[in-house]
Amino acid sequence: MIKVIKQSWIFRVILIALMLIAIEIPPIAVNFALRYSKTNQLIVDGFMALFIGLMLAIIWWAHLTYEAYNQLGQPAGIRVGWIIGGYLAIVLGMDVLSSLNKLIYHQTETANNAALGSMLGHNQVITIVFCFSAVILSPIAEEFIFRGTLTNMFFKRGNIWPKVILSGVIFSTGHMSTNPISFLMYAYMGMVLAYVYLRTDDIRNSIAIHMINNAIAMYVLLIQVI
């Protein structure tokens, strides 16, 4: 039998809000490191160590919360077909939305990707650590927060689509958007990840898709800045 913590919706909203604030804190350490990227490597190393420590702490907290609110029980197993299908769905959908973004708003990349690119190529340690976080740590943290915790906190287990939509919308608020289409791009990605998680009953599947997506995105960004 699955034991799920029952709290008031106000408590749950506040908890999610705190997690959303928390996930925005580690990049501050990267910004401070960038200030010393060419003058003091020791300070850079210290801020990047702080960055990793903060990310690990967020993952630990988000995992504990996910376990407390989990409605789905034990993981059902890795589903390679769902991982491939989910990733392809993200690629196709994002390509269509990116084309619309370029056509209507004349943006070749989102503000979020531009911000990520600005953090790369200035210092080797910053670049390596930031890439490691983007490919490994961030997908784990974000999936535990936006899929594992958020989708289990609100709505009953069988209400998949409200969970999917909520996850996508809240996920997009954590990414910089300058127009409705760029907002929809991240909302769409979040909804695909939520759908895969809820249909497979295993958060490892959405984590895998997120990692693959970020790995390819970081590779493209690195080519542009290095």
Side-chain angles (χ1 to χ4, degrees):
M1 181 178 180
I2 305 170
K3 293 183 179 180
V4 180
I5 290 178
K6 293 184 178 180
Q7 300 284 1
S8 69
W9 69 270
I10 295 178
F11 176 88
R12 285 174 280 158
V13 167
I14 292 174
L15 182 55
I16 284 295
L18 290 174
M19 285 188 168
L20 295 181
I21 293 171
I23 199 66
E24 297 298 327
I25 294 176
I28 296 175
V30 180
N31 288 327
F32 275 109
L34 286 170
R35 295 185 183 183
Y36 299 94
S37 62
K38 298 185 184 300
T39 59
N40 195 318
Q41 188 61 42
L42 184 60
I43 293 179
V44 169
D45 294 343
F47 275 117
M48 295 315 295
L50 175 62
F51 170 76
I52 293 177
L54 289 171
M55 288 299 301
L56 291 175
I58 290 170
I59 290 172
W60 173 77
W61 178 29
H63 181 263
L64 287 180
T65 308
Y66 156 68
E67 291 289 345
Y69 285 91
N70 181 23
Q71 299 175 348
L72 305 183
Q74 293 298 317
I78 301 295
R79 304 285 291 275
V80 176
W82 277 92
I83 293 172
I84 295 173
Y87 175 69
L88 291 177
I90 289 175
V91 170
L92 292 174
M94 295 289 272
D95 281 348
V96 171
L97 291 171
S98 293
S99 297
L100 288 175
N101 195 29
K102 184 177 181 180
L103 178 65
I104 298 174
Y105 295 103
H106 310 291
Q107 291 185 350
T108 56
E109 64 178 349
T110 64
N112 189 79
N113 281 352
L116 293 177
S118 68
M119 295 182 177
L120 303 174
H122 303 285
N123 179 281
Q124 187 176 31
V125 171
I126 295 176
T127 299
I128 292 173
V129 172
F130 192 76
C131 286
F132 172 75
S133 176
V135 176
I136 304 296
L137 300 182
S138 291
I140 295 174
E142 292 182 356
E143 290 309 301
F144 277 136
I145 293 173
F146 296 103
R147 257 61 66 183
T149 298
L150 184 60
T151 63
N152 285 296
M153 270 189 170
F154 302 96
F155 304 110
K156 295 181 180 180
R157 177 173 179 174
N159 295 342
I160 290 181
W161 286 110
K163 291 174 179 287
V164 166
I165 294 171
L166 177 65
S167 178
V169 170
I170 301 301
F171 178 68
S172 190
T173 61
H175 296 76
M176 288 181 285
S177 298
T178 55
N179 62 66
I181 293 180
S182 63
F183 182 88
L184 184 58
M185 290 171 66
Y186 291 104
Y188 171 75
M189 178 180 174
M191 286 189 283
V192 172
L193 291 169
Y195 185 76
V196 170
Y197 163 56
L198 294 170
R199 288 299 303 272
T200 63
D201 292 347
D202 196 323
I203 199 167
R204 292 175 296 180
N205 292 308
S206 62
I207 289 175
I209 296 171
H210 204 151
M211 285 181 173
I212 294 170
N213 180 79
N214 283 17
I216 294 175
M218 293 306 295
Y219 174 73
V220 172
L221 288 175
L222 284 172
I223 291 176
Q224 296 174 354
V225 301
I226 295 179

